[in-house]
């Protein structure tokens, strides 16, 4: 638990070389494991990343009564016993994605109790939209001593009622959770201003193959005709490639690779990142399922504004800021999704970056400044990886404590990075 990463900075520019393979998307695999609750029979998964958050999600499902079998990047989930309706408090508080379970659980059992979900401290991250969605679907919501209780009002097999619901913010997990919940409702649900992140389409496509009726995929209006519990009949959900991991590797390559190929990714999901990296001066070749990047001799400052998909992803903002510390000129970075997601820049400033914070949503980065290795505390999953990337281009040694955060999101990162020339070690304190 107390592991840390020690990264020794490159001795010369453009020292990385080779290829790196992208794993399954954390933020599809977690949600897909949650949808197992919508099935009468066993659901199998492949390309499931071997990361901390998946372990936590499996434990949460087991706590609800699931029988889980795990293999090499494979998981099988089935419910042989009675299903519990209360999420394990301690585990649910460790991970934001625990809230996703509440939708399919409510659809299946008509009731759910859960604590305020935890997760990375990157902003307020309320659950009001989920709760309003459940109310709209005909459930009663109460809160007592920090625990939410949601109960379908009507009795019977399919206790929730289809509805029209407008998301005041296109929240990714609220879209996915309410979509799953509506599969189990009676009648038709229309979700408006739905998030467009491609993982939602991947989840819905599989659900449709198994009997669900979800349309409007890839658009802001999802229509779900409630069908009740689904049957997988041996179908396997293949987790799509992690676009956040791919985008972060692309940035690492743009900073430090003679040539780096990122394999097994979906370039069409990465247009905003590819565009930003190219505008900054790096060369990117786009293949059918791979990207090849060569570092620029000189990087140029580009302004970044995070945005819901297909805009620039907030989860790639921290690695991009590391790139901007090496770019000539001044770049404004506007984090529009989360108000606490720029705090990690303080660590980069300690390494020598010239960063000015204007407010909780905006920093300007003045480059190019040489970074120097420092001891840093990994603050969340994505910023933890950004510190690793900063360590690669810094002079001297960078120690990133709290490797746990990086392990939550990236499988065996040190082994994979070492294979392309990064000098990184894991140390156990
Ligand atoms: N929001 C509300 N009320 C709600 C829900 C969300 O106001 O009930 C607000 C949030 O406060 C935020 C905005 O909506 O300002 C968007 O947040 P969203 O709900 O879309 O984020 P999320 O669903 O909690 C997922 C990913 C995050 C990723 C964001 C944005 C998962 C498990 N998490 O979070 O991933 O940053 O979408 O793309 O899918 C990560 O993987 O490190 C991570 C933080």
């Amino acid at each position: 638990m107390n592991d840390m990463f020690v990264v020794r900075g490159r001795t010369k520019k453009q020292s990385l070389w080779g290829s790196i393979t992208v794993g399954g998307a954390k933020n599809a695999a977690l949600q897909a494991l949650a949808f197992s609750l919508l099935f009468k029979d066993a659901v199998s998964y492949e390309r499931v990343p071997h990361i901390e958050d998946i372990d936590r999600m499996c434990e949460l499902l087991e706590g609800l009564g699931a029988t889980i079998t795990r293999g090499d990047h494979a998981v099988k989930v089935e419910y042989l016993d009675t299903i519990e309706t209360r999420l394990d408090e301690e585990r649910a508080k460790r991970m934001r994605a625990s809230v996703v379970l509440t939708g399919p659980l409510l659809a299946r059992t008509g009731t759910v109790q859960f604590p305020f979900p935890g997760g990375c401290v990157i902003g307020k991250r309320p659950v009001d939209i989920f709760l309003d969605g459940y109310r709209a679907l005909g459930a009663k919501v109460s809160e007592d001593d920090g625990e939410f209780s949601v109960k379908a009002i009507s009795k019977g097999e399919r206790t929730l009622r289809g509805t029209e619901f407008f998301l005041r913010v296109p929240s990714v997990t609220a879209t996915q959770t309410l979509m799953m919940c509506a599969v189990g409702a009676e009648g038709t649900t229309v979700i408006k201003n739905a998030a467009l992140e491609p993982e939602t389409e991947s989840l819905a496509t599989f659900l449709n193959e198994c009997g669900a009726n979800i349309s409007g995929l890839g658009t802001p209006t999802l229509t779900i005709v409630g069908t009740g519990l689904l049957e997988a009949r041996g179908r396997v959900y293949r987790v799509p490639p992690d676009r956040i991991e791919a985008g972060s590797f692309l940035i690492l390559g743009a900073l430090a690779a003679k040539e780096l190929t990122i394999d097994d990714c979906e370039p069409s999901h990465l247009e905003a990142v590819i565009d930003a990296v190219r505008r900054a001066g790096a060369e990117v070749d786009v293949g059918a399922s791979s990207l090849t990047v060569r570092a620029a001799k000189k990087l140029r400052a580009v302004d970044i504004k995070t945005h819901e998909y297909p805009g620039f992803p907030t989860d790639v903002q921290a690695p991009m800021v590391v790139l901007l510390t090496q770019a000539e000129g001044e770049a404004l970075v506007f984090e529009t999704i989360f108000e606490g997601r720029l705090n990690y820049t303080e660590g980069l400033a300690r390494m020598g970056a010239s960063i000015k914070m204007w407010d909780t949503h905006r920093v300007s980065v003045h480059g190019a400044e040489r970074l120097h290795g420092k001891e840093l505390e990994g603050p969340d999953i994505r910023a933890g990886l950004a510190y690793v990337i900063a360590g690669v281009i810094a002079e001297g040694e960078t120690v990133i404590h709290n490797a746990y955060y990086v392990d939550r999101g990236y499988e065996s990162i040190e082994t994979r990075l070492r294979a392309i020339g990064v000098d990184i070690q894991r140390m156990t304190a």
Side-chain angles (χ1 to χ4, degrees):
M1 270 297 166
N2 280 335
D3 286 4
M4 57 182 140
F5 290 118
V6 178
V7 185
R8 280 179 207 91
R10 76 220 152 116
T11 41
K12 65 180 178 49
K13 221 177 168 182
Q14 301 184 342
S15 55
L16 307 187
W17 172 267
S19 62
I20 190 161
T21 303
V22 173
K26 167 177 87 72
N27 291 344
L30 289 169
Q31 284 84 332
L33 286 170
F35 73 40
S36 64
L37 282 157
L38 291 175
F39 285 80
K40 288 185 199 156
D41 55 352
V43 192
S44 298
Y45 303 86
E46 59 185 28
R47 191 156 64 184
V48 179
H50 209 150
I51 52 174
E52 285 278 340
D53 273 20
I54 295 294
D55 296 346
R56 295 295 87 73
M57 181 55 95
C58 287
E59 288 164 9
L60 275 161
L61 289 172
E62 280 169 342
L64 295 174
T67 302
I68 297 190
T69 322
R70 291 184 72 171
D72 179 26
H73 296 103
V75 179
K76 184 175 166 196
V77 186
E78 60 190 320
Y79 299 87
L80 303 168
D81 296 319
T82 331
I83 293 182
E84 294 292 325
T85 59
R86 175 174 274 108
L87 297 192
D88 177 87
E89 184 180 346
E90 196 229 326
R91 294 205 172 90
K93 281 185 162 169
R94 279 170 77 171
M95 186 170 69
R96 171 78 180 176
S98 63
V99 72
V100 178
L101 289 166
T102 64
L105 192 53
L106 181 63
R108 184 166 187 140
T109 66
T111 178
V112 54
Q113 299 83 44
F114 63 104
F116 193 86
C120 289
V121 186
I122 53 178
K124 286 200 275 293
R125 310 189 86 183
V127 293
D128 54 329
I129 299 175
F130 295 77
L131 301 180
D132 284 348
Y134 295 150
R135 287 188 189 100
L137 283 158
K140 189 172 170 301
V141 178
S142 56
E143 194 193 343
D144 184 29
D145 204 16
E147 184 180 78
F148 296 104
S149 173
V150 186
K151 271 198 179 71
I153 299 164
S154 53
K155 303 261 179 288
E157 201 186 313
R158 277 155 64 192
T159 50
L160 299 165
R161 298 281 167 261
T163 187
E164 259 198 40
F165 186 67
F166 180 83
L167 286 136
R168 53 188 163 277
V169 181
S171 159
V172 178
T173 45
T175 300
Q176 297 163 343
T177 306
L178 295 173
M179 173 182 90
M180 294 182 206
C181 192
V183 168
E186 183 78 52
T188 300
T189 300
V190 181
I191 301 177
K192 295 181 179 171
N193 198 26
L196 297 175
E197 272 63 10
E199 292 76 22
T200 307
E201 187 167 345
S202 158
L203 299 167
T205 302
F206 183 78
L207 295 177
N208 281 347
E209 283 166 16
C210 300
N213 183 347
I214 307 170
S215 55
L217 302 181
T219 79
T221 305
L222 294 177
T223 302
I224 304 115
V225 180
T227 43
L229 291 187
L230 309 173
E231 282 182 279
R233 295 176 194 239
R235 289 185 188 83
V236 181
Y237 177 73
R238 185 164 169 77
V239 178
D242 195 317
R243 64 193 164 90
I244 305 304
E245 190 173 88
S248 306
F249 293 157
L250 186 68
I251 289 170
L252 173 64
L255 276 164
K258 189 163 167 35
E259 188 168 283
L260 178 66
T261 299
I262 298 144
D263 283 323
D264 280 3
C265 62
E266 178 47 73
S268 67
H269 292 169
L270 280 155
E271 281 177 319
V273 182
I274 295 168
D275 171 68
V277 164
R278 277 184 175 153
R279 281 189 295 118
E283 261 180 63
V284 182
D285 300 337
V286 177
S289 61
S290 70
L291 293 168
T292 298
V293 57
R294 286 170 286 277
K297 293 254 158 18
K298 250 192 179 142
L299 287 163
R300 292 183 294 273
V302 288
D303 291 342
I304 296 294
K305 181 177 174 189
T306 65
H307 197 279
E308 291 86 6
Y309 187 85
F312 194 94
T314 170
D315 290 341
V316 187
Q317 177 258 104
M320 192 65 199
V321 167
V322 176
L323 182 142
L324 294 173
T325 67
Q326 304 307 301
E328 299 279 338
E330 182 152 281
L332 181 69
V333 178
F334 187 4
E335 167 56 56
T336 67
I337 314 282
F338 294 110
E339 64 282 346
R341 220 175 196 184
L342 287 166
N343 295 340
Y344 73 90
T345 56
E346 177 266 338
L348 298 180
R350 282 206 289 121
M351 294 177 83
S354 172
I355 298 184
K356 181 167 168 45
M357 185 172 281
W358 297 100
D359 56 43
T360 53
H361 284 281
R362 290 176 308 158
V363 291
S364 49
V365 186
H366 199 99
E369 295 287 353
R370 184 157 270 286
L371 302 186
H372 303 276
K374 283 276 182 274
E375 276 206 31
L376 304 165
E377 197 72 38
D380 66 72
I381 302 176
R382 309 307 178 184
L385 185 71
Y387 281 168
V388 170
I389 296 174
V392 175
I393 55 160
E395 243 172 25
E397 192 173 277
T398 300
V399 178
I400 300 122
H401 293 278
N402 225 344
Y404 167 73
Y405 272 120
V406 178
D407 294 337
R408 279 189 54 192
Y410 306 93
E411 177 174 331
S412 311
I413 195 70
E414 71 277 23
T415 315
R416 291 195 287 158
L417 292 182
R418 265 205 300 272
I420 56 166
V422 173
D423 186 344
I424 177 170
Q425 304 294 330
R426 176 187 291 268
M427 314 279 263
T428 302

